[in-house]
Amino acid sequence: MKTTKLMLAAIATFLTTWCSLALLGFLLSDTPFKECMTHTATIMCLMIFGWIPSVIVCMDLDERGN
């Protein structure tokens, strides 16, 4: 059950990071939000930096023991 919680937390954090990066791109440009979600720059930034918050959240949950 612990690994399931860690997996769900990692996926949720990754998706939240993706939406946050797309929202940032949407607010800083004139492109629609849907296009920002699938833009190459957003995906590239997500692949480079998006895993970091997921790792931090999972490490914290693992240390807590839940």
Side-chain angles (χ1 to χ4, degrees):
M1 188 69 168
K2 182 179 177 181
T3 55
T4 304
K5 288 182 183 179
L6 289 174
M7 180 189 67
L8 291 174
I11 291 171
T13 306
F14 194 76
L15 291 175
T16 304
T17 305
W18 182 25
C19 289
S20 298
L21 287 173
L23 181 64
L24 184 65
F26 170 69
L27 294 174
L28 295 176
S29 68
D30 293 333
T31 57
F33 182 71
K34 185 176 178 180
E35 194 173 315
C36 284
M37 290 286 284
T38 59
H39 196 272
T40 307
T42 305
I43 302 297
M44 187 58 91
C45 287
L46 183 68
M47 291 300 140
I48 294 172
F49 302 113
W51 58 272
I52 296 171
S54 295
V55 169
I56 293 171
V57 167
C58 286
M59 285 175 53
D60 188 42
L61 283 175
D62 191 37
E63 287 177 2
R64 270 191 21 199
N66 288 338

